[in-house]
Coordinates of all heavy atoms in Angstrom, one line a residue:
M75 N -1.3 148.9 142.5 CA -1.6 149.8 143.6 C -2.7 150.8 143.1 O -3.5 151.3 143.9 CB -0.3 150.5 144.1 CG -0.5 151.2 145.4 SD -0.8 150.1 146.7 CE 0.1 150.8 148.0
N76 N -2.7 151.1 141.8 CA -3.7 152.0 141.3 C -5.1 151.5 141.5 O -6.0 152.3 141.7 CB -3.4 152.3 139.8 CG -2.2 153.2 139.6 OD1 -1.7 153.8 140.6 ND2 -1.6 153.1 138.5
T77 N -5.3 150.2 141.4 CA -6.6 149.6 141.6 C -7.1 149.8 143.0 O -8.2 150.1 143.2 CB -6.5 148.0 141.3 OG1 -5.9 147.8 140.1 CG2 -7.8 147.4 141.4
L78 N -6.2 149.6 144.0 CA -6.6 149.8 145.4 C -7.0 151.3 145.6 O -7.9 151.5 146.4 CB -5.5 149.4 146.3 CG -5.8 149.6 147.8 CD1 -6.9 148.6 148.2 CD2 -4.5 149.4 148.6
L79 N -6.3 152.2 145.0 CA -6.5 153.6 145.3 C -7.6 154.2 144.4 O -7.8 155.4 144.4 CB -5.2 154.4 145.2 CG -4.2 154.0 146.2 CD1 -2.9 154.7 145.9 CD2 -4.6 154.1 147.6
S80 N -8.3 153.4 143.6 CA -9.3 154.0 142.7 C -10.5 154.3 143.6 O -10.8 153.7 144.7 CB -9.7 153.0 141.7 OG -10.2 151.8 142.2
P81 N -11.3 155.3 143.2 CA -12.4 155.8 144.1 C -13.4 154.7 144.5 O -13.9 154.7 145.6 CB -13.1 156.8 143.2 CG -12.1 157.3 142.3 CD -11.2 156.1 142.0
Q82 N -13.7 153.7 143.7 CA -14.6 152.6 144.1 C -14.1 151.8 145.2 O -14.9 151.0 145.8 CB -15.1 151.7 142.9 CG -14.0 150.7 142.5 CD -13.3 151.2 141.2 OE1 -13.3 152.3 140.8 NE2 -12.6 150.2 140.5
N83 N -12.8 151.8 145.5 CA -12.3 151.0 146.6 C -11.9 151.8 147.9 O -11.3 151.3 148.8 CB -11.0 150.3 146.1 CG -11.3 149.2 145.1 OD1 -12.4 148.5 145.2 ND2 -10.5 149.1 144.1
Y84 N -12.3 153.1 147.9 CA -11.9 153.9 149.1 C -12.5 153.3 150.4 O -11.9 153.4 151.4 CB -12.4 155.4 148.9 CG -11.5 156.2 148.0 CD1 -12.0 157.4 147.5 CD2 -10.3 155.8 147.6 CE1 -11.2 158.2 146.6 CE2 -9.5 156.6 146.8 CZ -10.0 157.7 146.3 OH -9.2 158.5 145.5
E85 N -13.8 152.8 150.3 CA -14.4 152.3 151.5 C -13.6 151.1 152.1 O -13.7 150.8 153.2 CB -15.9 152.0 151.3 CG -16.1 150.8 150.4 CD -16.1 151.1 148.9 OE1 -15.9 152.3 148.5 OE2 -16.2 150.2 148.1
L86 N -12.9 150.4 151.2 CA -12.2 149.2 151.6 C -11.1 149.6 152.6 O -10.8 148.9 153.6 CB -11.5 148.5 150.5 CG -12.4 147.6 149.6 CD1 -11.6 147.1 148.4 CD2 -13.0 146.5 150.4
L87 N -10.5 150.8 152.4 CA -9.4 151.2 153.3 C -9.8 151.5 154.7 O -9.0 151.6 155.6 CB -8.7 152.4 152.7 CG -8.0 152.1 151.3 CD1 -7.4 153.4 150.8 CD2 -6.9 151.1 151.5
F88 N -11.1 151.6 154.9 CA -11.6 151.9 156.3 C -12.0 150.6 157.0 O -12.3 150.6 158.2 CB -12.8 152.8 156.2 CG -12.4 154.2 155.8 CD1 -12.7 154.6 154.5 CD2 -11.7 155.1 156.6 CE1 -12.3 155.9 154.0 CE2 -11.3 156.3 156.1 CZ -11.6 156.7 154.9
D89 N -12.0 149.5 156.3 CA -12.3 148.2 156.9 C -10.9 147.7 157.5 O -9.9 148.0 157.0 CB -12.8 147.2 155.9 CG -14.2 147.5 155.5 OD1 -14.9 148.2 156.2 OD2 -14.6 147.0 154.4
S90 N -11.0 146.9 158.6 CA -9.8 146.5 159.3 C -9.0 145.5 158.5 O -7.7 145.6 158.5 CB -10.1 145.9 160.7 OG -10.9 144.8 160.5
L91 N -9.6 144.6 157.8 CA -8.8 143.6 157.1 C -8.0 144.2 156.0 O -6.8 144.0 155.9 CB -9.7 142.5 156.6 CG -9.0 141.3 155.8 CD1 -7.9 140.7 156.7 CD2 -10.0 140.3 155.3
P92 N -8.6 145.0 155.0 CA -7.7 145.6 154.0 C -6.7 146.6 154.5 O -5.6 146.7 154.0 CB -8.7 146.3 153.1 CG -10.1 145.9 153.5 CD -10.0 145.2 154.8
A93 N -7.1 147.3 155.6 CA -6.2 148.2 156.2 C -5.0 147.5 156.8 O -3.8 148.0 156.6 CB -6.9 149.1 157.3
R94 N -5.2 146.4 157.4 CA -4.1 145.6 158.0 C -3.2 145.1 156.9 O -2.0 145.1 156.9 CB -4.6 144.5 158.8 CG -3.5 143.7 159.5 CD -4.0 142.4 160.2 NE -4.4 141.5 159.1 CZ -5.3 140.5 159.2 NH1 -5.8 140.3 160.4 NH2 -5.6 139.7 158.2
D95 N -3.9 144.6 155.8 CA -3.1 144.0 154.7 C -2.3 145.1 154.0 O -1.2 144.9 153.5 CB -4.0 143.4 153.7 CG -4.5 142.0 154.1 OD1 -3.9 141.5 155.1 OD2 -5.5 141.5 153.5
L96 N -2.8 146.3 153.9 CA -2.1 147.5 153.4 C -0.9 147.8 154.2 O 0.2 148.0 153.7 CB -3.0 148.7 153.3 CG -2.3 150.0 152.7 CD1 -1.7 149.8 151.3 CD2 -3.2 151.2 152.8
A97 N -1.0 147.7 155.6 CA 0.1 148.0 156.5 C 1.2 146.9 156.3 O 2.4 147.2 156.3 CB -0.4 148.0 157.9
F98 N 0.7 145.6 156.2 CA 1.7 144.5 156.0 C 2.4 144.7 154.6 O 3.6 144.5 154.5 CB 1.0 143.2 156.0 CG 0.7 142.7 157.4 CD1 -0.5 142.1 157.7 CD2 1.6 142.8 158.4 CE1 -0.8 141.6 158.9 CE2 1.3 142.3 159.7 CZ 0.1 141.7 160.0
S99 N 1.7 145.1 153.6 CA 2.3 145.3 152.3 C 3.4 146.4 152.4 O 4.5 146.2 151.8 CB 1.2 145.7 151.3 OG 0.3 144.7 151.1
L100 N 3.0 147.5 153.0 CA 4.0 148.6 153.1 C 5.2 148.2 153.9 O 6.4 148.5 153.5 CB 3.4 149.8 153.8 CG 2.3 150.5 152.9 CD1 1.6 151.6 153.8 CD2 2.9 151.1 151.7
A101 N 5.0 147.4 155.0 CA 6.1 146.9 155.8 C 7.0 146.0 155.0 O 8.2 146.1 155.1 CB 5.6 146.2 157.0
R102 N 6.4 145.0 154.3 CA 7.2 144.1 153.5 C 8.0 144.8 152.4 O 9.1 144.4 152.2 CB 6.2 143.0 152.9 CG 5.7 142.1 153.8 CD 4.7 141.1 153.2 NE 4.2 140.1 154.1 CZ 3.5 139.1 153.8 NH1 3.2 138.8 152.5 NH2 3.0 138.3 154.7
I103 N 7.4 145.8 151.8 CA 8.1 146.5 150.7 C 9.3 147.3 151.3 O 10.4 147.3 150.8 CB 7.2 147.4 150.0 CG1 6.2 146.6 149.1 CG2 8.0 148.4 149.1 CD1 5.0 147.4 148.6
Y104 N 9.1 147.9 152.5 CA 10.1 148.6 153.2 C 11.3 147.7 153.6 O 12.4 148.0 153.4 CB 9.6 149.4 154.4 CG 10.6 150.3 155.1 CD1 11.2 151.3 154.4 CD2 10.9 150.0 156.4 CE1 12.1 152.1 155.1 CE2 11.9 150.8 157.0 CZ 12.4 151.8 156.4 OH 13.4 152.6 157.0
I105 N 10.9 146.6 154.2 CA 11.9 145.6 154.6 C 12.7 145.1 153.4 O 13.9 145.0 153.4 CB 11.2 144.4 155.3 CG1 10.7 144.9 156.7 CG2 12.2 143.2 155.5 CD1 9.8 143.9 157.4
A106 N 12.0 144.9 152.3 CA 12.7 144.4 151.0 C 13.7 145.5 150.6 O 14.8 145.1 150.2 CB 11.7 144.2 149.9
S107 N 13.3 146.7 150.7 CA 14.2 147.8 150.2 C 15.5 147.9 151.1 O 16.6 148.1 150.7 CB 13.5 149.1 150.2 OG 13.2 149.6 151.4
L108 N 15.3 147.7 152.4 CA 16.4 147.7 153.4 C 17.3 146.5 153.1 O 18.6 146.6 153.1 CB 15.9 147.7 154.8 CG 15.2 148.9 155.3 CD1 14.6 148.7 156.7 CD2 16.1 150.2 155.2
L109 N 16.8 145.3 152.9 CA 17.6 144.1 152.6 C 18.3 144.3 151.3 O 19.5 143.9 151.2 CB 16.7 142.9 152.6 CG 16.1 142.5 154.0 CD1 15.1 141.4 153.8 CD2 17.2 142.0 154.9
I110 N 17.7 144.8 150.3 CA 18.4 145.0 149.0 C 19.5 146.0 149.2 O 20.6 145.8 148.6 CB 17.4 145.4 147.9 CG1 16.4 144.2 147.6 CG2 18.1 145.9 146.7 CD1 15.3 144.6 146.8
E111 N 19.2 147.1 149.9 CA 20.3 148.1 150.1 C 21.5 147.5 150.8 O 22.6 147.7 150.5 CB 19.7 149.3 150.9 CG 20.7 150.4 151.1 CD 20.2 151.5 152.0 OE1 19.1 151.4 152.6 OE2 20.9 152.6 152.0
H112 N 21.2 146.7 151.9 CA 22.2 146.1 152.6 C 23.0 145.1 151.8 O 24.3 145.0 151.8 CB 21.7 145.3 153.8 CG 22.7 144.7 154.7 ND1 23.5 145.4 155.5 CD2 23.0 143.4 154.9 CE1 24.3 144.5 156.2 NE2 24.0 143.3 155.8
A113 N 22.3 144.3 150.9 CA 23.0 143.3 150.1 C 23.8 144.0 149.0 O 24.7 143.3 148.4 CB 22.0 142.4 149.4
S114 N 23.6 145.2 148.7 CA 24.3 145.9 147.6 C 25.6 146.6 148.1 O 26.4 147.1 147.3 CB 23.4 147.0 146.9 OG 23.1 148.0 147.8
W115 N 25.8 146.6 149.4 CA 27.1 147.1 149.9 C 28.3 146.3 149.4 O 28.2 145.1 149.2 CB 27.1 147.1 151.4 CG 26.2 148.1 152.0 CD1 25.4 149.1 151.4 CD2 25.8 148.2 153.4 NE1 24.7 149.8 152.3 CE2 24.9 149.3 153.6 CE3 26.3 147.5 154.6 CZ2 24.4 149.6 154.8 CZ3 25.7 147.9 155.8 CH2 24.8 149.0 155.9
E116 N 29.4 147.0 149.3 CA 30.6 146.3 148.9 C 31.0 145.2 149.9 O 31.6 144.2 149.5 CB 31.8 147.3 148.8 CG 31.7 148.2 147.6 CD 32.8 149.2 147.5 OE1 33.9 148.9 148.1 OE2 32.7 150.2 146.8
V117 N 30.8 145.4 151.2 CA 31.2 144.4 152.2 C 30.1 143.3 152.4 O 30.2 142.5 153.3 CB 31.5 145.1 153.5 CG1 32.8 145.9 153.3 CG2 30.4 145.9 154.0
A118 N 29.0 143.3 151.6 CA 27.9 142.4 151.8 C 28.5 141.0 151.5 O 29.3 140.7 150.7 CB 26.8 142.7 150.9
K119 N 27.9 140.0 152.3 CA 28.3 138.6 152.1 C 27.3 137.9 151.2 O 26.2 138.5 151.0 CB 28.4 138.0 153.5 CG 29.5 138.5 154.4 CD 29.5 137.8 155.7 CE 30.7 138.1 156.5 NZ 30.6 139.4 157.2
D120 N 27.6 136.7 150.8 CA 26.7 136.0 150.0 C 25.4 135.7 150.7 O 24.3 135.7 150.1 CB 27.3 134.6 149.6 CG 28.4 134.8 148.5 OD1 28.4 135.9 147.9 OD2 29.2 133.9 148.4
Q121 N 25.4 135.5 152.0 CA 24.2 135.3 152.8 C 23.3 136.5 152.8 O 22.1 136.4 152.8 CB 24.6 135.0 154.3 CG 25.3 133.6 154.5 CD 26.8 133.8 154.4 OE1 27.3 134.8 153.9 NE2 27.5 132.8 154.8
D122 N 23.9 137.7 152.8 CA 23.1 138.9 152.7 C 22.3 139.0 151.4 O 21.1 139.4 151.4 CB 24.0 140.2 152.9 CG 24.7 140.2 154.2 OD1 24.2 139.8 155.2 OD2 25.9 140.7 154.2
I123 N 22.9 138.6 150.3 CA 22.3 138.6 149.0 C 21.2 137.6 149.0 O 20.1 137.8 148.5 CB 23.3 138.4 147.9 CG1 24.3 139.6 147.9 CG2 22.6 138.2 146.6 CD1 25.5 139.4 147.0
E124 N 21.5 136.4 149.6 CA 20.5 135.3 149.6 C 19.3 135.7 150.4 O 18.1 135.4 150.0 CB 21.1 134.0 150.1 CG 20.2 132.8 149.9 CD 19.9 132.5 148.5 OE1 20.6 132.8 147.6 OE2 18.8 131.9 148.3
V125 N 19.5 136.3 151.5 CA 18.4 136.8 152.4 C 17.5 137.7 151.6 O 16.2 137.6 151.7 CB 18.9 137.4 153.7 CG1 17.8 138.1 154.5 CG2 19.5 136.3 154.6
A126 N 18.1 138.7 151.0 CA 17.3 139.7 150.2 C 16.5 139.0 149.1 O 15.3 139.3 148.9 CB 18.2 140.7 149.6
K127 N 17.1 138.0 148.4 CA 16.4 137.3 147.3 C 15.2 136.5 147.9 O 14.1 136.6 147.3 CB 17.4 136.3 146.6 CG 18.3 137.0 145.7 CD 19.2 135.9 145.0 CE 20.2 136.4 144.1 NZ 21.1 135.3 143.6
R128 N 15.5 135.8 149.0 CA 14.4 135.0 149.6 C 13.2 135.9 150.1 O 12.1 135.5 149.9 CB 14.9 134.1 150.7 CG 15.8 133.0 150.1 CD 16.2 132.1 151.2 NE 17.1 131.0 150.7 CZ 17.4 129.9 151.3 NH1 16.9 129.7 152.5 NH2 18.2 129.1 150.8
W129 N 13.6 137.0 150.7 CA 12.5 137.9 151.2 C 11.7 138.4 150.0 O 10.4 138.4 150.1 CB 13.1 139.0 151.9 CG 12.0 139.9 152.5 CD1 11.5 141.1 151.9 CD2 11.3 139.7 153.7 NE1 10.5 141.6 152.7 CE2 10.3 140.8 153.8 CE3 11.3 138.8 154.7 CZ2 9.4 140.9 154.8 CZ3 10.4 138.9 155.7 CH2 9.5 139.9 155.8
C130 N 12.3 138.7 148.9 CA 11.6 139.3 147.8 C 10.8 138.3 147.0 O 10.0 138.6 146.1 CB 12.6 140.1 146.9 SG 13.2 141.5 147.7
Q131 N 11.0 137.0 147.2 CA 10.3 135.9 146.5 C 8.9 135.8 147.0 O 8.0 135.2 146.4 CB 11.0 134.6 146.6 CG 12.3 134.6 145.7 CD 13.1 133.3 146.0 OE1 12.9 132.5 146.9 NE2 14.1 133.1 145.1
Q132 N 8.6 136.3 148.2 CA 7.3 136.1 148.8 C 6.3 137.2 148.2 O 6.8 138.1 147.5 CB 7.3 136.3 150.3 CG 7.6 137.7 150.8 CD 7.5 137.8 152.3 OE1 6.6 137.3 152.9 NE2 8.5 138.5 152.9
D133 N 5.1 137.1 148.5 CA 4.1 138.1 148.0 C 4.3 139.4 148.9 O 4.0 139.4 150.1 CB 2.7 137.6 148.2 CG 1.6 138.6 147.8 OD1 2.0 139.6 147.1 OD2 0.5 138.3 148.1
L134 N 4.9 140.4 148.3 CA 5.2 141.6 149.0 C 3.9 142.5 149.1 O 3.9 143.5 149.9 CB 6.3 142.4 148.3 CG 7.6 141.7 148.3 CD1 8.7 142.6 147.5 CD2 8.1 141.4 149.7
T135 N 2.9 142.3 148.4 CA 1.7 143.1 148.4 C 0.4 142.3 148.6 O -0.4 142.1 147.7 CB 1.6 143.9 147.1 OG1 1.6 143.1 146.0 CG2 2.7 145.0 147.0
P136 N 0.2 141.7 149.8 CA -1.0 140.9 150.0 C -2.3 141.7 149.8 O -3.3 141.1 149.4 CB -0.8 140.4 151.5 CG 0.2 141.3 152.1 CD 1.1 141.8 151.0
V137 N -2.2 143.0 150.0 CA -3.5 143.7 149.8 C -3.9 143.7 148.4 O -5.1 143.6 148.1 CB -3.3 145.2 150.3 CG1 -2.3 146.0 149.5 CG2 -4.6 145.9 150.4
L138 N -3.0 143.8 147.4 CA -3.3 143.7 146.0 C -3.7 142.3 145.6 O -4.6 142.1 144.8 CB -2.2 144.2 145.1 CG -1.8 145.7 145.3 CD1 -0.6 146.1 144.4 CD2 -3.0 146.6 145.1
T139 N -3.0 141.3 146.2 CA -3.4 139.9 145.9 C -4.8 139.6 146.3 O -5.6 139.0 145.6 CB -2.4 138.9 146.5 OG1 -1.1 139.3 146.1 CG2 -2.7 137.5 146.2
H140 N -5.1 140.0 147.5 CA -6.4 139.7 148.1 C -7.5 140.5 147.3 O -8.6 140.0 147.1 CB -6.5 140.0 149.5 CG -5.7 139.1 150.4 ND1 -5.0 139.5 151.5 CD2 -5.4 137.8 150.2 CE1 -4.4 138.5 152.0 NE2 -4.6 137.4 151.2
L141 N -7.2 141.7 146.9 CA -8.1 142.5 146.1 C -8.4 141.9 144.8 O -9.6 141.8 144.3 CB -7.5 143.9 145.9 CG -8.5 145.0 145.3 CD1 -9.7 145.2 146.1 CD2 -7.7 146.3 145.0
R142 N -7.4 141.3 144.1 CA -7.6 140.6 142.8 C -8.4 139.4 143.0 O -9.1 139.0 142.1 CB -6.2 140.3 142.2 CG -5.5 141.4 141.5 CD -4.4 140.8 140.7 NE -3.3 140.2 141.5 CZ -2.3 140.9 142.0 NH1 -2.1 142.2 141.8 NH2 -1.4 140.3 142.7
H143 N -8.4 138.7 144.1 CA -9.1 137.5 144.4 C -10.5 137.8 145.1 O -11.1 136.9 145.6 CB -8.3 136.5 145.2 CG -7.1 136.0 144.4 ND1 -5.8 136.4 144.7 CD2 -7.0 135.1 143.4 CE1 -5.0 135.8 143.9 NE2 -5.7 135.0 143.1
N144 N -10.9 139.0 145.2 CA -12.1 139.4 145.8 C -12.3 139.0 147.2 O -13.3 138.6 147.7 CB -13.3 138.9 145.0 CG -13.4 139.5 143.6 OD1 -13.1 140.7 143.5 ND2 -13.7 138.8 142.6
A145 N -11.2 139.0 147.9 CA -11.2 138.5 149.3 C -11.8 139.5 150.3 O -12.0 139.2 151.5 CB -9.7 138.2 149.8
Y146 N -12.1 140.7 149.8 CA -12.7 141.7 150.7 C -14.2 141.9 150.5 O -14.8 142.8 151.1 CB -12.0 143.1 150.5 CG -10.5 143.0 150.8 CD1 -9.6 143.5 149.9 CD2 -10.0 142.4 151.9 CE1 -8.2 143.4 150.1 CE2 -8.6 142.3 152.2 CZ -7.7 142.8 151.3 OH -6.4 142.8 151.5
D147 N -14.8 141.1 149.6 CA -16.2 141.3 149.4 C -17.0 140.7 150.6 O -16.5 140.0 151.4 CB -16.7 140.7 148.1 CG -16.5 139.2 148.0 OD1 -16.1 138.6 149.0 OD2 -16.8 138.6 146.9
A148 N -18.3 141.0 150.7 CA -19.1 140.6 151.8 C -19.2 139.1 151.9 O -19.2 138.5 153.1 CB -20.5 141.2 151.7
K149 N -19.3 138.4 150.8 CA -19.4 136.9 150.9 C -18.2 136.3 151.4 O -18.2 135.4 152.3 CB -19.7 136.4 149.5 CG -19.9 134.9 149.4 CD -20.2 134.4 148.0 CE -20.4 132.9 148.0 NZ -20.7 132.4 146.6
S150 N -17.0 136.7 151.0 CA -15.7 136.2 151.5 C -15.6 136.5 153.0 O -15.1 135.7 153.8 CB -14.5 136.8 150.7 OG -14.6 136.3 149.4
S151 N -15.9 137.7 153.4 CA -15.8 138.1 154.8 C -16.7 137.2 155.7 O -16.3 136.8 156.8 CB -16.1 139.6 155.0 OG -15.2 140.4 154.3
A152 N -17.9 137.0 155.2 CA -18.9 136.1 156.0 C -18.4 134.7 156.1 O -18.4 134.1 157.1 CB -20.2 136.2 155.3
C153 N -17.8 134.2 155.0 CA -17.2 132.9 155.0 C -16.0 132.8 156.0 O -15.9 131.8 156.7 CB -16.8 132.5 153.6 SG -16.1 130.8 153.5
D154 N -15.1 133.8 156.0 CA -14.0 133.8 156.9 C -14.5 133.8 158.3 O -14.0 133.1 159.2 CB -13.1 135.1 156.6 CG -12.4 135.0 155.3 OD1 -12.3 133.9 154.8 OD2 -11.9 136.1 154.9
L155 N -15.5 134.6 158.6 CA -16.1 134.7 160.0 C -16.6 133.3 160.4 O -16.4 132.9 161.5 CB -17.1 135.8 160.1 CG -17.8 135.9 161.4 CD1 -16.8 136.4 162.5 CD2 -19.0 136.9 161.3
A156 N -17.4 132.7 159.5 CA -18.0 131.4 159.8 C -16.9 130.4 160.0 O -17.0 129.5 160.9 CB -18.9 131.0 158.7
L157 N -15.8 130.4 159.2 CA -14.7 129.4 159.4 C -14.0 129.6 160.7 O -13.7 128.6 161.4 CB -13.7 129.6 158.3 CG -14.1 129.0 156.9 CD1 -13.1 129.5 155.9 CD2 -14.2 127.5 156.9
V158 N -13.8 130.8 161.1 CA -13.1 131.1 162.4 C -14.0 130.8 163.6 O -13.5 130.2 164.6 CB -12.6 132.5 162.4 CG1 -12.0 132.9 163.8 CG2 -11.5 132.7 161.3
M159 N -15.2 131.2 163.5 CA -16.1 131.1 164.7 C -16.9 129.8 164.8 O -17.7 129.7 165.7 CB -17.0 132.3 164.7 CG -16.3 133.6 164.7 SD -15.3 133.9 166.2 CE -16.6 134.0 167.4
K160 N -16.7 128.9 163.9 CA -17.5 127.6 163.9 C -17.3 126.9 165.2 O -16.2 126.7 165.7 CB -17.1 126.7 162.7 CG -17.9 125.5 162.7 CD -17.5 124.6 161.5 CE -18.3 123.3 161.5 NZ -17.9 122.4 160.5
G161 N -18.4 126.6 165.8 CA -18.4 125.9 167.1 C -18.4 126.8 168.3 O -18.5 126.3 169.4
H162 N -18.2 128.1 168.2 CA -18.2 129.0 169.3 C -19.6 129.1 169.7 O -20.5 129.4 169.0 CB -17.6 130.4 168.9 CG -17.4 131.3 170.0 ND1 -18.4 132.0 170.6 CD2 -16.3 131.6 170.7 CE1 -17.9 132.7 171.6 NE2 -16.6 132.5 171.7
P163 N -19.9 129.0 171.0 CA -21.3 129.0 171.5 C -22.1 130.3 171.2 O -23.3 130.2 171.0 CB -21.2 128.8 173.0 CG -19.7 128.8 173.4 CD -18.9 128.8 172.1
E164 N -21.4 131.4 171.3 CA -22.1 132.7 171.0 C -22.3 132.9 169.5 O -23.1 133.7 169.1 CB -21.4 133.8 171.6 CG -21.4 133.8 173.1 CD -20.7 135.0 173.7 OE1 -20.5 136.0 173.0 OE2 -20.2 134.9 174.9
F165 N -21.6 132.2 168.7 CA -21.8 132.3 167.2 C -22.7 131.3 166.6 O -23.4 131.6 165.6 CB -20.4 132.2 166.5 CG -20.5 132.4 165.0 CD1 -20.6 133.7 164.5 CD2 -20.4 131.4 164.1 CE1 -20.7 134.0 163.2 CE2 -20.5 131.6 162.8 CZ -20.6 132.9 162.3
T166 N -22.9 130.2 167.3 CA -23.8 129.1 166.7 C -25.2 129.6 166.8 O -25.7 130.1 167.8 CB -23.6 127.8 167.6 OG1 -22.2 127.5 167.6 CG2 -24.4 126.7 167.0
R167 N -25.8 129.6 165.6 CA -27.2 130.0 165.5 C -28.1 128.8 165.3 O -27.8 127.9 164.6 CB -27.4 131.0 164.4 CG -26.5 132.2 164.6 CD -26.8 133.2 163.4 NE -25.8 134.2 163.5 CZ -25.1 134.7 162.4 NH1 -25.3 134.1 161.3 NH2 -24.2 135.6 162.6
T168 N -29.3 128.9 166.0 CA -30.3 127.8 165.7 C -31.4 128.5 165.0 O -31.8 129.6 165.3 CB -30.8 127.2 167.0 OG1 -31.3 128.3 167.9 CG2 -29.7 126.5 167.7
P169 N -31.9 127.8 163.9 CA -33.0 128.4 163.2 C -34.3 128.4 163.9 O -34.6 127.8 164.9 CB -33.2 127.4 162.0 CG -32.3 126.2 162.2 CD -31.5 126.5 163.4

């Protein structure tokens, strides 16, 4: 998380993709904490513990994963846009 909050990455937080990933990361971590708390109760069932384990096995911080893989740089963003919009009449450019 320190990497994301370093001054050179401040502008990333104003872009929609990293901001959305940050929101998803916070939500996943919060959900994990609630599931773990629920699973730690004395009356918790084996299923409650299994649900908490399975939830925590996923990537809880996609914003950091994507930051490590340079998914927020201009080249990756342009590639993502081209992949999604390929074939759209308003996006197709002729030289």
